[in-house]
Amino acid sequence: MAFNFGAPSGTSGTSAATAAPAGGFGGFGTTSTTAGSAFSFSAPANTGTTALGGLFSQPTQAPAQSNQLINTASALSAPTLLGDERDAILAKWNQLQAFWGTGKGYFNNNIPPVEFTQENPFCRFKAVGYSCMPNNKDEDGLVVLIFNKKETDIRSQQQQLVESLHKVLAGNQTLTVNVEGIKTLPDDQTEVVIYVVERSPNGTSRRVPATTLYTHFEQTNIKTQLQQLGVTLSMTRTELSPAQIKQLLQNPPAGVDPIIWEQAKVDNPDSEKLIPVPMVGFKELLRRLKVQDQMTKQHQTRLDIISEDISELQKNQTTTMAKIAQYKRKLMDLSHRTLQVLIKQEIQRKSGYAIQADEEQLRVQLDTIQCELNAPTQFKGRLNELMSQIRMQNHFGAVKSEERYYIDADLLREIKQHLKQQQEGLSHLISIIKDDLEDIKLVEHGLNEAIHVRGGVFS
């Protein structure tokens, strides 16, 4: 699950729902005309530390914390509310509430009760997970907007969204809003990543830095307009500096045991890409589970698309192989036709001339080959013998089909392999002989024609 480090806009889902108009798509193109200062990309203050501090809820050192710790200890160990043995029962009840992370711990009639939250150090429903660190630069200008809308609604009216965001930027004609990506989130929410390109009068352009754009969105009147569009959260998507990473790792988040935090840093499977993050309470665990399930579905969808592409490529490969085989056969046929043309051309060219010595030598060689092929003890006789053996084996196999012989599996496999090799050799030999016979017939036919032509000339 990607983890976006950045300062939240502070707009809750409830406030966004209240500000958004009923029905429609949240008012794209109908932003309010709240008066405010003109949009300006001035140098923003560094919001990185504030954002990260808000994310991990780092406590500030204040005297109120010391009093809170003392009151919590009193509520858990020595309440003096009733002044009898019931205070011990109350202490156990307060401990149970603290372990659960909810409720109020009463301990003194003159002091307000302690509010137990899941961030208190005694809450037991805590764990540490790992999230990916962003690797985008501030110059990339990526800002994440979380919409309380479905992805289909966002995509169907994406152009209206871009126009509405451009109006939020005071309609500056030198600015162009671009959508980097849209991703669905659990609970019918959608993440939209945008960046803004600023064109200068000399024709050059640049992306507005993410911190600058985020600072503009954090202005009160701008935040109200974003709420009307359905934005519940905004944050920058920029990488952490080494100093920020060091600060996050050195200081455990609020309510997390330092020992557990140190062990989480040791168990980090990839400290270059992942950073430990606290998971406090079941809601956070459920949120991460939903996001993980959503990412799993997206990965499965991508795998299905890849599988379909592979299947299509395999079909194309099969078609291509068939075409290659067809072209090979066509090439062989054209080669034979070309050879026949060359033979006739050669015969025509040498018509009227006596047979030369090399031609006579070639005819002698061809006759010798023909005799060897037709000799009973040579290839033809062996082929006839093998064919007779095969026919006899088939005949005896049909007659004695009722008999059963049991052969060792390895031996049977060797016999099959041997017979297969013999069959392949015979097929190859038969193919060579047929090709040679065709060539001999062509040469013999050409020689006969040449002799006939020469006989007609001399007569």
Side-chain angles (χ1 to χ4, degrees), residues 380-399:
K380 189 172 183 179
R382 293 179 183 178
L383 287 175
N384 293 331
E385 182 180 357
L386 290 174
M387 293 298 296
S388 300
Q389 292 179 0
I390 292 174
R391 294 191 187 96
M392 290 177 62
Q393 289 177 359
N394 294 335
H395 175 70
F396 285 118
V399 173

Side-chain angles (χ1 to χ4, degrees), residues 23-43:
F25 191 65
F28 280 174
T30 59
T31 56
S32 62
T33 57
T34 305
S37 59
F39 181 67
S40 174
F41 284 126
S42 58

Side-chain angles (χ1 to χ4, degrees), residues 247-384:
Q247 180 183 2
L248 291 175
L249 295 179
Q250 285 182 347
N251 302 320
V256 178
D257 192 328
I259 297 178
I260 297 178
W261 187 251
E262 291 297 327
Q263 187 62 37
K265 292 191 292 184
V266 174
D267 296 338
N268 192 340
D270 191 350
S271 59
E272 297 295 329
K273 297 181 180 179
L274 303 177
I275 190 169
V277 293
M279 293 185 294
V280 181
F282 292 104
K283 288 185 179 180
E284 177 63 18
L285 182 61
L286 179 61
R287 186 190 69 83
R288 288 179 67 91
L289 181 61
K290 288 182 178 179
V291 174
Q292 185 68 30
D293 184 63
Q294 188 68 36
M295 293 298 296
T296 302
K297 290 181 180 178
Q298 292 180 1
H299 291 165
Q300 185 62 45
T301 302
R302 177 55 57 182
L303 289 176
D304 293 340
I305 295 174
I306 294 175
S307 178
E308 292 177 0
D309 293 341
I310 292 176
S311 300
E312 188 66 24
L313 290 174
Q314 289 177 344
K315 292 180 181 178
N316 294 337
Q317 182 186 15
T318 303
T319 304
T320 304
M321 294 298 294
K323 289 183 178 180
I324 291 175
Q326 179 182 358
Y327 291 149
K328 284 183 177 179
R329 291 192 297 270
K330 187 174 181 180
L331 176 63
M332 184 66 66
D333 182 62
L334 291 176
S335 299
H336 289 165
R337 293 175 62 183
T338 303
L339 181 60
Q340 293 176 0
V341 171
L342 291 176
I343 292 173
K344 293 181 179 180
Q345 182 182 8
E346 187 69 13
I347 293 173
Q348 184 68 25
R349 186 177 67 86
K350 290 190 176 182
S351 62
Y353 294 93
I355 297 178
Q356 299 179 1
D358 54 347
E359 294 176 344
E360 183 66 26
Q361 184 179 2
L362 178 60
R363 187 176 67 175
V364 172
Q365 292 177 357
L366 292 175
D367 292 339
T368 304
I369 294 174
Q370 183 68 29
C371 293
E372 290 179 356
L373 292 176
N374 294 329
T377 59
Q378 294 297 324
F379 300 107
K380 189 172 183 179
R382 293 179 183 178
L383 287 175
N384 293 331

Side-chain angles (χ1 to χ4, degrees), residues 6-22:
S9 64
T11 58
S12 64
T14 304
S15 62
T18 304

